């Protein structure tokens, strides 16, 4: 045994070095920048108006639809580390119950079946197959998460089952829509939002030194990609430090210390609520006062309050109305949302933005079903989703859900408006024009 | 003082004692002899409450104790020096001894007993800050006995104290046991394979085989007994 | 140099968080020789109770005291009701039961309070001190101080009190402990109760920093494990030092060892632990005796 | 516990029959989605079988077998994705790679026992997904690798049915291999080390060699299971191999019955189906249901289902015997738990 002991050092060190080396070699393989600044992912074919995607593989186009009912499936993380998002599916359930009590959609009631996948791709495959093969759902609506959705995309497209308005902001749902015609996204993707920030910085702080804190996963990396696209040729000059954190870390303030030491004057926070609040708070505590840009994932008032003094003057971008914002207190849609949630939501917190998100996306589905008409088919539903021009009352004024425009880039929402937070007022204030951040 | 009647005990499906009767009068030293696996240790485990007998009774001064917990039996004045010592190896010598007095609240008495134990075993005083696990086998046995004495027992049970020790150490330890019996009037019940030594300090002896008492007699008679000599004394 | 000092402070603040939870792990191990996977979730649940009490208008310290009392009662009850029936079974079985407890507490908290982030009031001022350009947060100093205090109390308890010794003896070897007249079943329950109290203290301490949500302890617990392993499960002092070391190592490696980068700091922390274990299997401060589980 | 293998010739033949029935019929009775679940039961079974070798038979506590599972899955994923290798051809390499990783890991782990080994393996389980994320050029990073689902070479079978039979045959082969190894002198050495390392060393068993061998073999099984899962799901991503997977495998092993023949199968069924049934009971808090079921299981069957059945069987048997034979006759010495035996050796263990 003793003889083996010394072998340990080289084995462990070699393991770490190997991992690190492989990591650094991967940098050379990240997508190169195309002229014009946008990234050009190799896998996606360039979208064109001529090649309209068709989701028509399903042998039974009306499976899950009867004269009185439409069966809709969904997977979400009711257990496990991502369970904060389960609120979304519960809100959707509440919204559909309300729709049904109003008489349903085109005379049909919505039967909503939502299953737990704990954010684990193999579980998502299993549950999605249960939905399709056992519950015979008509469509899989708003399943949660990039890896889970990636795991089921091929399966659903092979079967011709719509994977509609997925709950993830990866760019692939829009870019690869022609290849996977039964799959379409909904919210502005992370890259779009970051492009908007990049454009804003170029216009207003062209000489800024930018430090970025990002979550080490697809979501964080997509933002980084978008930011570089938005900054264009100046990206490498302006970004002085990219620092990633793992969700398993309890406190990101050591990273903020590192970033502060670079002397940056713009701090971009690409983090989920808990870590974003910690980062903004840490910056204030370290007496570091850069312009902070906080991603739209973490802008609810809870998070901003948790950030304390660090939240003052923070800039972000929004596309949804914020139900906790007093400015919308008398908005008809927000008032109705609160009423419905109070009645059907079994105690759900109306200030939780996930609830509002759930309502907004469910409303879009109802709109698409209406648009698909009385003779509802799977192909018809996707055709409707591909040809939307819908001014959703849940979105900020000036932002629409549109897939019918000439560009045909298959991103239903790609505009946002910048907003600034004031600690004194305890709310966000929007400013400037609605900005567009299409990923091409 | 101690009266064991018709004791039957088992480990799961294995019956270890098949109706044993043993008496230990106040102030005496009684020894139980027998081969490995004959059931000697089982008697001590039953008396100290570690094993619940399936049949029979154990009485201490007329009170039945065979359904009582080990902890409450200690409080009634019976201390066991278990086979294999069973020390708390990560704790120091002194901590082990203090645990021995866990049930007592008379601080002065405890301090006196601690000094007395150190007098019996001067080696322990030298090593009182060391972890028990670092002691030699003989020192560990001393500590185990010392720990049991710290409870100030009226009846001291010793389970194979000679196991794994050099002969001169065994003699020392038996000497001390005999001293304790004499000086403090502590009654001793001793289980041993080393019959020569144990009979030399005992007043009365039992021989058990496969869970039954086969011979019982005063110690000096046993020493003369032909069968016992052949089987246990080796001459 | 200032950069280094600032990173050191950042690492120590994070390390203090690990240390306070590592103490709870050491406590339960010292008093029951069980590794309780639900330790973090129990602490989280206690912290939610404190939050609820404060939210209902109770003053901070009153809520804290009541929470500790409830935690103690809860810990004892869990041992008596849930752990007790399996205590004679193998260690694996007990581990699985604590995994079950982990699932129950996590999901129960989510069901009652939701998974959304909650802010938790801090008993310490939120200001900072500046020492020659290095910023030190008063909150971190407070966490640090309490962790040291708890450590000192535990060390005294386990080394010098009869009850503390009896608990350790029970954990090490039950049968002879019973022969000492110790009511071992109660010692185990007491161990769970005290560990729950230390856990609740840790939870209330760190919640203002990491914020309160049902998953707050999951990442934390791993690093607390690392800290306790590094310091050795035997000693409260080791747990604190181990926790601090893990925190500092994380901050330093991420910043200075550029080819590894921050995203592998976790892996490196784990590798360090494995290496330490190989050369000093009972941790840096553990005693020589090897243990069986 | 090790004795079961020796005493179990006749029962094991019966079990083989049951296994064959379970393999042949389900695909014809159930829909594709159920077959997918059954396939996963088989995959978990292989991984738990592997875990059982190192923990149940060799006494080394691992909380990190999800890591070896992941290594196997990624070897298969990378070979299929980058090199277009046929899925079946990747399995041996996936198993061997995981086995080598396990063997190398076991070298430092030799110095550790019990709790500390458990924590070291836990560290491994947490680190591996991080490394996978970092090594983007091969693993696809967090996005993972999308694979092509294998087609059935037999026209009469659907792809799902084919994959079920395929994994079942692999499982059967591995089961038999484990059975042979554990009955051989190697298996006896494993068990001897588990029961008493000091005594085993005194008996001339090279401890280091057998402990690393057990770890490597165990990791090989987990790697094969991971490999199968990669193409059955047709996707590999770091999120699939989080710490919960490792924990689930341990749960499966203990619930099924540590160190038993049928344990892994029962445990695999348990961990595959418990989550779905839990959410049927409570959509609001499925974890609470899961936790309660787990605790109750351990409460009612601390030695796992297999242990419980065996104990119950023995009790029934001895009851019958007691009625028919003389009450004094004692049954054979068959403790169900090694832990219930008096601790071996004085002192050292503390």
């Amino acid at each position: 045994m003793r003889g083996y002991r010394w072998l340990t050092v080289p084995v462990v060190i070699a393991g770490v070095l190997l991992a690190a080396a492989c990591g650094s070699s991967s940098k050379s393989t990240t997508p190169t920048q195309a002229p014009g600044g946008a990234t050009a992912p190799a896998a996606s074919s360039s979208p064109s108006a001529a090649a309209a995607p068709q989701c028509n593989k399903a042998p039974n186009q009306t499976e899950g639809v009867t004269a009185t009912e439409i069966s809709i499936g969904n997977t979400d993380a009711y257990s496990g580390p991502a369970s904060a998002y389960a609120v979304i599916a519960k809100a959707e359930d509440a919204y559909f119950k309300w729709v049904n009590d109003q008489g349903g959609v085109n005379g049909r009631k919505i039967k909503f079946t939502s299953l737990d996948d704990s954010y684990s791709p193999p579980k998502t495959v299993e549950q999605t197959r249960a939905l399709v093969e056992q519950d015979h759902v008509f469509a899989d609506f708003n399943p949660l998460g990039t890896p889970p959705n990636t795991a089921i995309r091929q399966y659903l497209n092979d079967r011709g089952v719509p994977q509609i308005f997925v709950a993830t902001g990866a760019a692939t749902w829009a870019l690869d829509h022609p290849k996977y015609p039964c799959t379409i996204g909904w919210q502005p993707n992370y890259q779009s939002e970051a492009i908007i920030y990049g454009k804003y910085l170029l216009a207003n702080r062209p000489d800024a030194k930018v430090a970025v804190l990002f979550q080490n996963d697809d979501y964080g990396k997509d933002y980084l990609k978008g930011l570089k696209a938005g900054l264009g040729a100046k990206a490498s000059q302006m970004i002085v430090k990219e620092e990633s954190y793992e969700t398993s870390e309890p406190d990101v303030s050591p990273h903020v210390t590192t970033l502060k030491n670079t002397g940056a004057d713009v701090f971009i926070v690409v983090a989920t609520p808990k870590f974003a609040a910690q980062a903004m708070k840490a910056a204030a505590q370290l007496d570091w006062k850069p312009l902070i840009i906080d991603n739209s994932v973490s802008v609810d008032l809870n998070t901003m309050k948790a950030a304390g003094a660090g939240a003052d003057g923070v800039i972000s971008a929004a596309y949804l109305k914020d139900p906790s914002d007093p400015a919308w207190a008398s908005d008809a849609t927000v008032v109705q949302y609160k009423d419905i949630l109070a009645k059907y939501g079994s105690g759900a917190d109306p200030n939780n933005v996930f609830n509002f998100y759930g309502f907004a996306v469910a409303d879009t589905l109802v709109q698409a079903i209406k648009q698909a008409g009385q003779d509802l088919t799977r192909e018809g539903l996707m055709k409707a989703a591909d040809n939307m021009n819908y001014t959703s009352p849940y979105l900020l004024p000036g932002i629409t859900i549109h897939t019918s425009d000439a560009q045909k880039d298959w991103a239903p929402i790609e505009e946002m408006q910048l907003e600034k937070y004031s600690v004194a007022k305890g709310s966000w204030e929007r400013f400037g024009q609605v900005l567009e951040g299409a990923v091409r | 003082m101690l009266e064991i009647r018709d004791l039957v005990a088992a480990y799961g499906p294995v019956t270890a004692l098949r109706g044993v009767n043993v008496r230990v009068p106040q102030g005496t030293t009684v020894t139980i002899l027998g081969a490995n696996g004959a059931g000697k240790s089982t008697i001590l485990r039953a008396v100290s409450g570690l094993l619940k007998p399936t049949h029979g009774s154990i009485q201490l001064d007329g009170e039945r104790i065979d359904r009582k917990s080990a902890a409450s039996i200690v409080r009634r004045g019976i201390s066991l020096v278990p086979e294999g010592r069973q020390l708390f190896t990560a704790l120091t010598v002194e901590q082990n001894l203090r645990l021995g007095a866990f049930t007592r609240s008379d601080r002065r008495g405890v301090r006196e007993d601690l000094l007395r134990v150190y007098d019996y075993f001067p080696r322990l005083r030298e090593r009182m800050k060391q972890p028990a696990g670092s002691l030699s086998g003989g020192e560990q046995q001393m500590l185990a006995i010392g720990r049991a004495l710290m409870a100030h027992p009226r009846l001291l049970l010793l389970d194979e104290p000679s196991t794994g020790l050099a002969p001169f150490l065994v003699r020392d330890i038996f000497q001390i046991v005999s001293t304790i019996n004499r000086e403090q009037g502590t009654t001793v019940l001793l289980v041993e394979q080393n019959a020569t030594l144990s009979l030399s300090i005992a007043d009365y002896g039992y021989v058990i085989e496969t869970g039954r008492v086969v011979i019982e007699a005063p110690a000096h008679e046993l020493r003369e007994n032909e069968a016992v000599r052949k089987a246990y004394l080796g001459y | 140099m200032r950069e280094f000092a600032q990173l050191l402070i950042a690492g120590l603040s994070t390390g203090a968080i690990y240390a306070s939870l590592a103490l709870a792990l050491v406590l339960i191990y010292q008093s029951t020789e069980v590794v309780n996977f639900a330790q973090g979730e129990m602490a989280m649940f206690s912290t939610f109770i404190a939050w609820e009490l404060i939210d209902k208008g109770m003053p901070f310290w009153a809520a804290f005291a009541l929470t500790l009392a409830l935690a103690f009662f809860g810990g004892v009850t869990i041992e008596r009701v849930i752990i007790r029936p399996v205590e004679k079974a193998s260690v694996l079985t007990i581990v699985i039961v604590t995994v079950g407890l982990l699932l129950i507490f996590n999901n129960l908290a989510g069901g009652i309070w939701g998974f959304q982030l909650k802010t938790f009031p801090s008993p310490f001022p939120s200001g900072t001190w500046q020492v020659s350009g290095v910023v030190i947060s008063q909150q971190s100093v407070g966490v640090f101080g309490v962790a040291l205090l708890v450590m000192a109390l535990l060390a005294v308890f386990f080394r010098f009190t009869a009850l503390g010794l009896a608990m350790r003896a029970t954990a090490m070897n039950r049968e002879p402990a019973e022969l000492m007249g110790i009511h071992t079943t109660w010692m185990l329950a007491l161990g769970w109760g005290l560990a729950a109290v230390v856990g609740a203290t840790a939870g209330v301490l760190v919640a203002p920093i990491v914020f309160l949500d049902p998953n707050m302890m999951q990442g934390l617990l791993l690093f607390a494990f690392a800290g306790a392993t590094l310091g050795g499960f035997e000693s409260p002092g080791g747990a604190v030092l181990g926790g601090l070391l893990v925190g500092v190592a994380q901050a330093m490696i991420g910043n200075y060892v550029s080819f590894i980068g921050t995203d592998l700091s976790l892996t490196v922390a784990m590798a360090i632990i494995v290496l330490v274990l190989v050369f000093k299997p009972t941790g840096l401060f553990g005693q020589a005796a090897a243990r069986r589980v | 516990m090790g004795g079961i293998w020796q005493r179990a010739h006749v029962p094991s033949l019966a079990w083989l029959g049951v296994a064959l029935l379970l393999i042949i019929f389900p695909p014809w009775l159930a829909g594709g989605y159920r077959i997918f679940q059954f396939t996963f039961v088989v995959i978990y079974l292989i991984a738990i079988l592997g875990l059982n070798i190192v923990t149940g038979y060799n006494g080394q506590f691992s909380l990190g077998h999800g890591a070896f599972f992941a290594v196997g899955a990624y070897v298969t994923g990378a070979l299929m994705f980058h090199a277009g290798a046929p899925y079946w051809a990747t399995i041996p390499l996936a198993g061997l790679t995981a086995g080598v990783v396990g063997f190398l890991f076991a070298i430092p782990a030799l110095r550790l026992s019990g709790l500390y080994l458990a924590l070291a393996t836990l560290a491994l389980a947490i680190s591996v997904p991080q490394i996978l994320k970092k090594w983007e050029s091969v693993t696809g990073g967090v996005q993972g690798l999308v694979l092509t689902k294998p087609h059935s070479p037999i026209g009469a079978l659907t792809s799902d049915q084919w994959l079920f039979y395929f994994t079942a045959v692999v499982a059967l082969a591995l089961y038999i291999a484990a059975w042979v190894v554990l009955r051989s002198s190697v298996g006896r050495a494993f068990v001897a080390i588990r029961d008493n390392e000091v005594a085993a060393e005194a008996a001339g068993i090279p401890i280091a060699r057998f402990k690393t061998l057990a770890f490597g073999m165990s990791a090989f099984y987990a790697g094969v299971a991971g490999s199968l899962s990669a193409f059955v799901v047709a996707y590999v991503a770091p999120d699939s191999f989080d710490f919960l997977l490792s924990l689930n495998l341990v749960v499966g092993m203990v619930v099924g019955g540590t160190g038993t023949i049928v344990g892994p199968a029962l445990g695999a069924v348990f961990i595959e189906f418990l989550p779905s049934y839990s959410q049927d009971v409570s959509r609001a808090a499925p974890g609470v249901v899961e936790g309660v079921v787990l605790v109750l299981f351990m409460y009612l069957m601390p030695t796992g289902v297999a242990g419980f059945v065996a104990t119950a069987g023995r009790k029934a048997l001895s009851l019958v015997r007691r009625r028919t034979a003389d009450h004094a006759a004692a049954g054979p010495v068959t403790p169900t738990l090694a832990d219930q035996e008096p601790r071996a050796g004085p002192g050292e263990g503390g």
Side-chain angles (χ1 to χ4, degrees), chain B residues 60-76:
Chain B
L60 178 71
D61 297 332
E63 184 199 9
R64 277 192 72 162
I65 56 168
D66 47 84
R67 294 286 147 197
K68 301 261 187 276
S69 75
S72 66
I73 288 174
V74 178
R75 286 182 166 78
R76 284 173 168 74

Side-chain angles (χ1 to χ4, degrees), chain B:
Chain B
M1 179 183 207
L2 185 76
E3 176 104 40
I4 301 172
R5 282 201 199 118
D6 199 21
L7 188 68
V8 178
Y11 296 103
V14 193
T15 308
L17 296 177
R18 301 161 196 274
V20 168
N21 293 290
V22 170
R23 281 185 67 245
V24 184
Q26 179 94 39
T28 59
T29 298
V30 173
T31 185
I32 301 175
L33 305 174
N36 229 344
K40 308 183 300 273
S41 296
T42 311
I43 298 175
L44 295 194
R45 291 177 67 81
V47 172
S48 58
L50 295 175
L51 183 73
K52 299 281 168 270
T54 45
H55 188 75
S57 74
I58 303 171
Q59 290 185 353
L60 178 71
D61 297 332
E63 184 199 9
R64 277 192 72 162
I65 56 168
D66 47 84
R67 294 286 147 197
K68 301 261 187 276
S69 75
S72 66
I73 288 174
V74 178
R75 286 182 166 78
R76 284 173 168 74
I78 299 183
S79 262
L80 170 68
V81 179
E83 190 179 8
R85 271 90 76 172
Q86 304 271 36
L87 297 172
F88 305 109
T89 48
L91 301 183
T92 63
V93 168
E94 188 159 6
Q95 286 171 333
N96 269 279
L97 291 175
R98 276 173 49 203
L99 277 169
F102 182 77
T103 53
R104 299 171 62 183
S105 51
D106 55 325
R107 280 164 173 265
R108 177 180 294 176
V110 170
R111 205 171 316 127
E112 281 167 8
D113 278 351
L114 189 64
L115 294 176
R116 190 171 297 134
V117 168
Y118 283 147
D119 286 344
Y120 284 136
F121 307 109
R123 299 293 294 276
L124 295 183
R125 178 176 284 140
E126 291 164 25
R127 297 176 190 269
M128 63 192 213
K129 297 287 175 207
Q130 287 184 19
S134 69
L135 302 184
S136 71
E139 290 164 347
Q140 288 199 2
Q141 189 60 59
M142 294 174 193
L143 179 54
I145 295 172
R147 189 180 62 174
L149 288 178
M150 286 303 292
H152 203 83
R154 293 185 293 143
L155 172 59
L156 183 66
L157 312 176
L158 290 141
D159 196 350
E160 308 267 10
S162 71
T163 312
L165 299 185
F168 72 93
L169 272 174
V170 177
R171 257 197 311 280
D172 281 359
I173 282 172
F174 275 71
Q175 204 89 71
I176 290 166
V177 169
S178 150
T179 311
I180 292 163
N181 172 249
R182 257 196 340 268
E183 286 183 357
Q184 303 197 41
T186 311
T187 313
V188 174
L189 177 55
L190 170 69
V191 150
E192 254 302 341
Q193 285 192 67
N194 187 333
T196 321
L197 267 175
S198 54
L199 286 176
S200 75
I201 64 164
D203 303 304
Y204 200 83
Y206 292 81
V207 175
I208 76 167
E209 273 169 20
T210 58
R212 286 198 177 90
V213 173
V214 287
I215 311 172
E216 61 169 294
H220 60 91
E221 281 178 31
L222 280 180
R223 274 200 297 272
E224 306 307 317
N225 184 302
E226 191 74 18
V228 172
R229 265 175 39 188
K230 263 202 184 125
Y232 300 102
L233 300 174
Y235 58 89

Side-chain angles (χ1 to χ4, degrees), chain D residues 238-304:
Chain D
D239 281 311
S240 311
F241 312 106
D242 59 0
F243 166 59
L244 282 177
L245 173 64
S246 299
L247 214 55
N248 261 333
L249 294 179
V250 178
V251 167
M253 177 182 73
V254 177
V255 167
T258 311
T260 58
I261 286 189
V262 287
L266 299 169
V269 169
F270 185 84
I271 60 174
E272 169 61 31
F273 289 104
L274 178 64
S276 338
Y277 288 109
S278 298
Q279 64 164 317
D280 286 348
V281 177
S282 164
R283 182 59 46 85
V288 175
V289 180
E290 245 173 275
V292 168
V293 172
L294 209 52
V295 171
L296 284 180
F297 244 90
M298 290 293 93
Y299 184 94
L300 296 172
M301 312 179 188
T303 53

Side-chain angles (χ1 to χ4, degrees), chain D:
Chain D
M1 274 183 278
I4 287 172
W5 291 102
Q6 274 103 48
R7 281 186 281 105
H9 290 281
V10 178
S12 68
L13 280 179
W15 282 119
L16 193 70
V18 173
L20 283 175
L21 287 178
L22 283 175
I23 288 172
I24 293 167
F25 285 109
W28 303 101
L29 299 174
Y33 142 71
R34 286 283 174 208
I35 302 172
F36 179 84
Q37 286 186 321
F38 294 147
T39 311
F40 248 85
V41 168
V42 177
I43 290 171
Y44 285 142
L45 183 156
I46 295 172
I48 295 173
L49 190 61
L51 183 58
N52 222 341
I53 291 172
V54 78
T55 304
Y57 286 89
N58 195 227
Q60 301 191 73
F61 202 162
S62 170
L63 284 175
H65 263 51
F68 307 123
F69 194 95
V71 168
Y74 267 94
V75 169
T76 288
L79 286 174
M80 285 175 72
F81 187 86
H82 296 294
Y87 63 94
W88 47 267
T90 66
I91 299 172
L93 199 61
L96 283 175
T97 311
V100 168
V101 172
F103 177 79
L104 290 177
F105 181 80
I107 294 172
L110 273 178
R111 302 262 306 154
L112 308 175
S113 61
L115 169 69
Y116 292 98
L117 179 61
L119 291 175
T121 53
L122 178 68
L124 184 73
I126 293 158
S127 304
V128 162
Q130 313 275 325
I131 295 170
L132 291 172
K133 279 188 197 174
K134 182 95 177 166
W135 197 358
E136 203 171 341
S137 56
V138 175
T139 63
V142 280
Q143 307 272 22
L145 302 170
V146 178
L147 310 175
T148 317
K149 193 167 181 173
H151 292 291
S152 166
I154 302 163
L157 294 180
T158 66
S159 164
D160 287 320
Q161 287 168 333
W162 163 250
L163 284 175
F164 176 80
Y165 286 126
F166 185 86
T167 49
V169 168
V170 172
L172 204 61
L174 290 176
Y175 230 128
I176 293 168
W179 191 65
V180 170
V181 170
L182 290 170
R183 282 192 67 225
S184 72
S185 58
V186 174
R188 283 196 293 276
F190 286 174
V191 173
I193 292 169
R194 177 197 68 192
D195 290 345
N196 192 335
E197 202 168 315
V198 179
E201 196 164 21
I205 296 171
I207 307 282
R209 191 190 305 163
F210 279 106
K211 280 179 114 174
T212 46
L213 179 69
F215 226 107
M217 189 174 155
S218 166
F220 174 86
Y221 275 67
V224 170
S227 166
L228 295 169
S229 85
F231 57 77
V232 168
V233 177
Y235 179 58
V236 287
D239 281 311
S240 311
F241 312 106
D242 59 0
F243 166 59
L244 282 177
L245 173 64
S246 299
L247 214 55
N248 261 333
L249 294 179
V250 178
V251 167
M253 177 182 73
V254 177
V255 167
T258 311
T260 58
I261 286 189
V262 287
L266 299 169
V269 169
F270 185 84
I271 60 174
E272 169 61 31
F273 289 104
L274 178 64
S276 338
Y277 288 109
S278 298
Q279 64 164 317
D280 286 348
V281 177
S282 164
R283 182 59 46 85
V288 175
V289 180
E290 245 173 275
V292 168
V293 172
L294 209 52
V295 171
L296 284 180
F297 244 90
M298 290 293 93
Y299 184 94
L300 296 172
M301 312 179 188
T303 53
V305 182
F308 175 77
V309 172
T311 314
R314 249 197 315 274
K315 270 187 189 150
L317 210 66
S318 66
L319 204 69
V320 174
R321 262 193 220 156
R322 217 170 283 171
R323 292 245 168 100
T324 51
D326 178 21
H327 71 278
V333 190
T334 47
T336 43
L337 268 178
D339 307 65
Q340 284 178 346
E341 294 168 295
R343 288 190 182 222
E348 303 97 335

Side-chain angles (χ1 to χ4, degrees), chain C residues 18-284:
Chain C
Y18 303 152
S20 53
L21 199 60
L23 278 172
L25 290 172
V26 166
L27 177 57
I28 192 105
Y29 186 71
Q30 286 249 310
S31 51
T32 65
E33 290 225 336
V34 166
V35 178
N36 179 8
F37 276 87
Q39 192 78 69
E41 306 307 287
M42 283 165 62
M44 173 273 295
F45 203 84
S46 303
T47 314
F48 262 110
I49 291 175
W51 178 85
E52 184 75 49
L53 293 173
I54 294 168
D55 199 51
K56 289 274 181 298
M58 200 181 266
F60 181 90
W61 293 109
F64 182 56
L66 183 56
T67 302
L68 293 192
L70 288 172
F72 180 79
F73 182 72
V76 169
T77 310
I78 286 172
E79 201 283 335
R80 300 294 292 193
V81 177
I82 296 174
I83 302 298
R84 195 68 180 283
V86 293
E87 69 180 358
K88 292 228 168 64
S90 72
V91 176
L92 270 173
T93 305
I94 301 176
V95 165
I96 300 300
V97 169
T98 68
V99 169
L101 283 175
L102 181 155
L103 290 172
I104 293 172
F105 277 117
N106 181 273
N107 236 249
L108 205 57
I112 299 173
W113 291 288
F115 285 91
Q116 229 196 355
L117 188 71
K118 287 188 167 55
T119 46
F120 193 90
S122 170
F124 307 109
S126 64
T128 54
W129 288 304
Q130 294 242 9
V131 182
S132 60
V134 177
V135 185
I136 302 167
S137 109
Q138 294 171 5
Q139 207 167 341
S140 299
V141 174
V143 174
F144 202 92
V146 176
L148 288 181
L149 182 71
V150 174
M151 173 197 91
L153 287 176
L154 286 184
V156 168
F157 177 72
F158 276 127
R159 215 160 290 168
F160 300 112
T161 69
L163 194 61
L165 280 176
M167 281 170 71
R168 284 172 75 190
T170 304
M172 284 174 208
N173 209 341
R174 280 190 71 176
E175 201 165 81
E178 233 155 85
L179 290 175
M180 301 298 106
I182 299 166
H183 288 292
T184 54
T185 52
W186 276 108
M187 291 301 127
L188 296 177
L190 208 57
W192 275 76
L194 286 180
V197 166
V198 174
T201 310
V204 169
L205 275 184
V206 306
I209 299 171
V210 304
F211 305 120
L212 182 58
D213 77 277
N215 294 321
M216 70 187 269
M217 288 294 179
Q218 284 177 1
L220 265 175
L221 190 70
L222 294 173
F223 289 104
F225 265 136
T229 313
L230 204 56
F233 270 80
E234 312 287 319
S235 97
V240 168
L241 212 63
L244 294 177
L245 278 176
V246 171
V248 170
Q250 235 182 338
M252 295 293 169
I253 289 166
N255 197 60
Y256 288 117
V257 192
S258 61
F259 70 90
I260 290 173
T262 45
D263 46 352
L264 273 187
S265 63
L266 186 76
T267 308
V268 173
M270 297 299 169
I272 291 175
I273 290 155
V274 172
L275 280 178
V276 168
L277 285 181
V278 167
F279 289 98
K280 192 98 181 22
T282 50
L284 295 175

